[in-house]
Amino acid sequence: MVGLAVLIGADLMLAFAPGLWGAFLGIALWGAHMALTQGLLAKLVAQHAPATLRGSAFGLFNLATGVAMLVASVVAGVLWERIGSAATFAAGAGFAVLAALLVTVSALTRRAGRDDPSPGSRRDGEPPSRRHGRL
């Protein structure tokens, strides 16, 4: 969430801050965002992929990242050409806000699922079938 907040700040600086200092501050914030998030994403892939499929998981992650960057770059280019540079960075900030909202909703949903006292649910996430020795 901190990385997303820094990205929002970077995009807003690049969209609306005047002059060279505004651009430099926006670029510095963008670099801080990259430093805060890129290692985390790789760590998540490494943690959640089975050891035997870790290389494939990283390949798929990088493919998905590349496709997303291609689409984002096309959208950014269209915005820049048709509306202007400020619209491009303002849209980037908007997408980052949307991502932060989705992360928050996802975290709240997972938390609510862990606190769900419905029959057969367990706080440790173990499926009910494992408790009885069955797969």
Side-chain angles (χ1 to χ4, degrees):
M1 291 301 285
V2 172
L4 283 171
V6 172
L7 177 60
I8 293 165
D11 281 329
L12 292 175
M13 288 298 297
L14 291 167
F16 302 115
L20 200 53
W21 287 107
F24 284 142
L25 184 55
I27 292 167
L29 286 172
W30 195 299
H33 153 72
M34 296 296 286
L36 287 166
T37 60
Q38 293 307 300
L40 176 64
L41 295 174
K43 180 183 178 197
L44 288 172
V45 172
Q47 273 184 330
H48 294 287
T52 58
L53 296 174
R54 198 160 290 144
S56 297
F58 273 106
L60 186 59
F61 170 72
N62 286 313
L63 173 67
T65 302
V67 169
M69 287 175 58
L70 175 64
V71 171
S73 295
V74 168
V75 170
V78 169
L79 285 171
W80 192 294
E81 286 294 319
R82 296 202 175 159
I83 302 173
S85 60
T88 303
F89 291 110
F95 283 122
V97 167
L98 178 61
L101 290 173
L102 291 172
V103 167
T104 301
V105 168
S106 176
L108 292 173
T109 302
R110 277 195 313 266
R111 185 174 301 140
R114 283 193 306 255
D115 295 338
D116 181 18
S118 64
S121 70
R122 294 208 33 188
R123 289 188 186 270
D124 64 2
E126 183 180 306
S129 62
R130 293 202 111 170
R131 281 184 264 144
H132 303 291
R134 294 187 308 263
L135 293 175

